[in-house]
Amino acid sequence: MNQLTRATLLGTIAQIAMVVAGHFVPAVANLFAIGGMGISALAGWAALKGQPASISAAAGRGALAGGISSAIGIAVSVALGDVPTSLLALGTGSSAVTGLIGGLIGRRRV
C-alpha cells in the first residue's frame, strides 16, 4: 500500500470515527467543521510526509487524501441524518483545500 493510499485510508477512518461520535455526542458534532478540516490537513500531510515532490504533485496528492477522506465521512454523516446533503460539496471542497495545504507542508523539497 503506497503512502497516499495509507494516508487516505487513515483519514477516512478518522473522519468516520468523528462523525459516528458526533452522532451520539452533540459536543463533537459542534466541531465537525474544524475537526473534519483538521483531519483532512493531517491526511494531506501524511500523504507526502518526507517524500520529495514538486509543489503541484504535493498539492494534488494532499488534496486527494483530504478530499476523499472527507467526502466519505460527510456521506456517512448525511446517511445518519446529521448534516444536509448540500454540505457534501462544500465540506469536501474545503477539506480538499486543507488537505492540499497539509500536502505542501509535508513534502520534502526537490
Side-chain angles (χ1 to χ4, degrees), residues 14-76:
Q15 294 278 7
I16 291 171
M18 178 189 66
V19 165
V20 170
H23 183 70
F24 298 103
V25 181
V28 174
N30 290 334
L31 299 173
F32 275 172
I34 191 73
M37 288 188 291
I39 292 168
S40 291
L42 288 172
W45 173 81
L48 273 296
K49 187 179 98 180
Q51 285 188 342
S54 67
I55 289 175
S56 60
R61 284 187 259 170
L64 280 172
I68 291 169
S69 63
S70 71
I72 294 169
I74 295 168
V76 170

